[in-house]
Amino acid sequence: MSIKFEKVNYTYDIGLPSEKVALRDISHIFSDHCFTALIGKTGSGKSTLLQHLNALILPTSGKISIGSYIIDFSLEYKDGKVDERKMKRKRKKKLKDIKSLRKKVGIVFQFPEYQLFEETVLKDVMFGPKNFGKSEEEAKKVSYEALKQVDLDSSYYERSPFELSGGEKRRVAIAGILALEPDVLVLDEPTVGLDADGEKNFLNLIKDIYSRGTSIILSTHNMDLVLKYAENALLLEDGKIVLADRPHVLFKNEELLKRSVLRKPKVLEFADELIKKGLPLNVENIFDIPSLAKEIDRCKR
Amino acid sequence: MTFGKYNNYTTIIHRLDSRIKLIALISFFVILFLPYGTGYMNLVFYGIALILLFILSIISKASFISLFRSLKGIWVMVLFLLIISLLFANSNSGDIAFSIYELDIYYSTIINVSFVLLRLIAILTASNIFSSTTKPMDMTYALEWFFYPLKLIKIPIHKFAMAISLALRFVPTITMECQRVIKAQASRGVDYNQGRLKEKFKALTSMIIPLFISSFMKSGELADAMEARGYDPDSKRTRYKVYHFGLKDVIAILILVIILAFFITACCFKFDLFSYLGVDLPKLS
């Protein structure tokens, strides 16, 4: 399922002193089965963009097509000016069947505390599927499946989600979304607050989910993650997309990195040093430490 | 824009000392509960007060729309008041306005209901102006200042003031938190607007429990943070912002005194404008 943004704008608190433009003329296509990383400074509009993906936020203007679901707030013009009356009418219309959209696109928020509330882990994971009309039995089945995917065994099922550690809580929260079996999984800064081991497991999990055919769209400040896993990097700056390309293209653009206060991944920095020393490495082949080692090995031969 | 939320303009009313604004608010409440003689005169004076408040609203850029939106439910109130007034026979005297079948509706009932309504609208307008022009912190400062005498009888008002200011400080935070929880649950298919009552109730618990948990966590963390920075509830506190009375504050007090004097005089003399002008109005009692 592909997601298409056409000239999407979003402004917080329109008409108030605290008015803030968060997205400016965003046009982008998230292709079918993509792994896209959103990067950019805090306040560059990453979270706002993510929330547009399943209509938690509706654009101020612009058009978003999510599979066959279309949210059309594109500007109407009359005599060269924006036709405010028509826009108002458009905005008044209620979106139909928003649930079907939310089933296809699942968002995992940064803090799992925001969604856990049931007495037991299992019940909490079952909550989502049941909302989307699954029977108790079916919901249980998908929940077992989802909990297995996030590596929580049956000893967790009957525990209260509130007595778990931060990493475990997050896994329960993700299982809660996975149980919906979404086509697109959206994650808002998923690795914040996880320990090194937790982060590694978590990223492997996401890779796994991706390889099973689910699109992944995530926002992050972790450049190693972007280089290693993402197929596409989307760099946002002040609500605008400044670059949408493979991570390698981004990390070659020193000027852009500097402007967005991004740091190159450690492996690439290391590779740069090696290249300076005269080793003819091909940066394009480097994604993580094993691939760097392989590349060095190739050069030595 | 919600009713009574602080808006960040810099009008003259925003810049007034919060203590004056609090006194003004209380004065307007007093004005709105004074008797001015006959029911008609009550209507007239409440009307004047309401016009004054509307002018203040415009000056202070307080949002009218949110005010009127919050008045949407007022029709229920009108109906309720009418029924109550009809049930109590002693207010049913004087001339009859009209009758529905056997039921007589008196002018006095209509007048009573309408001035209660005027009063209600005026109170809401006044509170709206106060709360949309005064920062919560300034409000607590004003409260603390007025309760100062209680300190003499060893009531720890600064503790209360701290509690109030913290509570007010956390209203926007919790509102934001609430929106986040709603979004997180909406991604899991919760619909807070549709569904049967039982489903709605379930949806509500899915919002309230995470909200409670994060609030408890926040309050614990806040207490730790305050202690870590050496907060001692019993020691004397200084202020980051020191308030000074300026010329505009003095002028504001003068205007307030004039308004208050006008209404109190009117209340004392119970001057009946209509009989003086010879206007013939339906008898109320």
Side-chain angles (χ1 to χ4, degrees), chain A residues 16-17 51 54 56-57 99 102 107 109 113-118 124 127-128 131-132 162 176-177 180, chain B residues 1 8-9 177 180-181 183-191 194 202 205-206 209-210 213-214 217-218:
Chain A
L16 292 181
Q51 288 173 37
N54 72 353
L56 286 174
I57 293 181
K99 258 188 172 181
R102 301 224 163 115
I107 297 192
F109 282 89
E113 291 84 10
Y114 288 149
Q115 66 174 62
L116 304 176
F117 75 99
E118 284 277 17
D124 203 278
F127 178 69
N131 276 330
F132 287 113
F162 301 111
I177 298 293
L180 306 176
Chain B
M1 183 80 199
N8 200 7
Y9 295 109
E177 206 105 308
R180 278 192 200 132
V181 172
K183 278 178 182 167
Q185 301 297 23
S187 329
R188 297 212 289 169
V190 180
D191 198 334
Q194 283 161 14
K202 179 84 180 171
T205 51
S206 76
I209 294 175
I213 286 173
S214 73
M217 257 164 50
K218 279 239 160 69

Side-chain angles (χ1 to χ4, degrees), chain B residues 161-197:
Chain B
M162 177 57 86
I164 295 171
S165 64
L166 283 180
L168 288 171
R169 155 69 186 76
F170 273 90
V171 169
T173 311
I174 289 176
T175 318
M176 250 165 65
E177 206 105 308
C178 186
Q179 275 158 2
R180 278 192 200 132
V181 172
I182 286 176
K183 278 178 182 167
Q185 301 297 23
S187 329
R188 297 212 289 169
V190 180
D191 198 334
Y192 290 97
N193 299 320
Q194 283 161 14
R196 277 168 294 165
L197 197 67

Side-chain angles (χ1 to χ4, degrees), chain A residues 69-83:
Chain A
Y69 197 96
I70 293 167
I71 300 164
D72 187 4
F73 288 160
S74 46
L75 291 172
E76 298 279 346
Y77 290 96
K78 197 172 140 192
D79 312 328
K81 266 194 211 152
V82 178
D83 190 346

Side-chain angles (χ1 to χ4, degrees), chain A residues 262-273:
Chain A
L262 297 174
R263 223 185 135 168
K264 262 193 186 185
K266 285 260 159 52
V267 270
L268 287 188
E269 273 183 355
F270 185 51
D272 280 351
E273 287 299 316

